[in-house]
Amino acid sequence: MRDAKTHLPHPEEEAGMVTSIPLSSGTRMPQLGLGVYLVTDVAVCESSVRSALGSGYRLIDTAAIYRNERAVGRGIRSSGVPREEIFLTTKLWPSDYGYAKARAAIGGALERLDCGPLDLLLLHQPVGDVKGAWRAMEDAVDQGVIRAIGVSNFTVSDLDRLLSAARIPPAVDQVELHPHWQQPELLPYLTQHAIAPEAWYPLGHGSATLRAEPAVVGAAAAHGKSAVQVILRWHVQRGFVAIPKSTNPLHIAANIDVFDFELSPAEMAGIDALGQDRPMFRLPRWMMAATMPLARPRPLG
């Protein structure tokens, strides 16, 4: 895996082609995908997934707590894109942690998505019976129903605790990550442990301040691209995975149009310099476990 400051495009990159990164699981993960957080209208969610896949996306990210897994599955099945070309991620919520609960929750996710084995399953928050849930996920990998497992919102100390007990190490940590918050403590740790960084806030929640930064605006003008496209290209060249959310077909298509140009070392350095000392989003630990009741999933075999 590249170190935290590598700025070169993937060696296999060709103009216009979505690049991918290797995971410790032995699979590869596309560097740009569609996130469907807060897409609660199931018809809109389904059409957004179809639109993304039609625009060239091959990574779709959902979660049990988003309550749209069935719509995501329908969008994938109706897209006309072969399932084996799609990298599908979902997540378990802490209310379904613990070995027995997680086993049942995995079966529920597989049933709701109805797309065969999952490419990646994440623990959504670092609270509750993490180790019990992780054992259930490891068993699901052994059974062939999950191809890779990882975490979301885990800090260095959270990962230390998990790695001390894990038989299969996490392949991904999905966290807030964008030019204004570059995870200075976490990224070197992820590199050390071959854990891929994935950004759930790749655009800083659509921050107008970030889009107006002179380093971003200047690069956009130089390449004939939008500020959003420059920020997403920065993620690609840093070696991150990014999952911007949109339900607008034009924005969905524009977000993936970042593989036909390359930011120069000076442009990358200018955007790197935008890092600040705190994230935009902070969720107290007690809130990480708060949830509406999830539908009881069907247990595995």
Side-chain angles (χ1 to χ4, degrees):
M1 185 175 297
R2 302 175 218 177
D3 64 34
K5 289 293 184 180
T6 296
H7 297 147
L8 296 177
H10 191 278
E12 297 177 3
E13 181 173 335
E14 298 178 10
M17 299 292 290
V18 178
T19 55
S20 63
I21 59 171
L23 299 182
S24 60
S25 59
T27 58
R28 296 190 69 90
M29 186 175 188
Q31 281 194 266
L32 195 64
L34 178 74
V36 294
Y37 175 54
L38 294 180
V39 186
T40 54
D41 184 308
V42 294
V44 170
C45 183
E46 183 177 342
S47 65
S48 296
V49 169
R50 280 199 304 270
S51 178
L53 293 172
S55 296
Y57 289 72
R58 291 299 180 265
L59 166 62
I60 306 294
D61 179 277
T62 183
I65 197 66
Y66 301 169
R67 299 178 179 274
N68 56 21
E69 288 172 309
R70 293 188 188 279
V72 166
R74 287 194 298 270
I76 289 172
R77 294 193 303 275
S78 63
S79 70
V81 176
R83 172 64 183 92
E84 60 269 21
E85 294 183 10
I86 300 168
F87 192 103
L88 176 59
T89 303
T90 193
K91 312 176 193 74
L92 302 184
W93 191 253
S95 58
D96 282 323
Y97 288 6
Y99 184 80
K101 285 185 176 180
R103 262 183 74 83
I106 293 167
L110 291 166
E111 185 273 328
R112 290 188 295 274
L113 288 160
D114 193 20
C115 289
L118 291 172
D119 298 284
L120 178 64
L121 179 66
L122 306 179
L123 294 180
H124 209 147
Q125 303 288 358
V127 295
D129 187 0
V130 166
K131 292 180 181 178
W134 194 257
R135 285 192 295 111
M137 291 164 64
E138 290 173 325
D139 286 353
V141 172
D142 294 340
Q143 295 166 20
V145 296
I146 307 292
R147 296 191 174 98
I149 52 179
V151 295
S152 180
N153 302 307
F154 275 51
T155 65
V156 167
S157 59
D158 296 323
L159 288 165
D160 273 339
R161 285 190 291 271
L162 176 58
L163 285 168
S164 69
R167 176 168 56 86
I168 301 174
V172 172
D173 191 2
Q174 187 184 111
V175 294
E176 179 183 345
L177 181 59
H178 47 78
H180 276 169
W181 177 238
Q182 298 179 35
Q183 294 282 358
E185 179 185 10
L186 181 63
L187 286 180
Y189 182 97
L190 297 185
T191 298
Q192 178 186 355
H193 292 276
I195 301 170
E198 182 178 13
W200 54 248
Y201 250 12
L203 303 172
H205 198 46
S207 167
T209 302
L210 175 57
R211 286 184 278 117
E213 290 281 8
V216 173
V217 173
H223 294 280
K225 293 289 185 176
S226 70
V228 166
Q229 288 168 324
V230 165
I231 295 166
L232 292 174
R233 180 66 200 183
W234 174 84
H235 281 276
V236 169
Q237 288 183 221
R238 285 290 300 266
F240 307 149
V241 175
I243 47 169
K245 170 240 174 180
S246 180
T247 58
N248 182 320
L250 294 178
H251 292 169
I252 289 171
N255 286 348
I256 202 173
D257 186 21
V258 299
F259 296 95
D260 59 352
F261 74 105
E262 180 182 339
L263 297 172
S264 71
E267 289 166 337
M268 289 295 294
I271 299 173
D272 287 341
L274 301 177
Q276 300 179 3
D277 62 358
R278 66 182 63 189
M280 295 177 61
F281 185 82
R282 290 183 184 272
L283 185 65
R285 293 261 162 168
W286 67 267
M287 288 184 64
M288 290 179 178
T291 178
M292 298 177 288
L294 294 175
R296 282 297 91 198
R298 185 177 68 186
L300 286 171

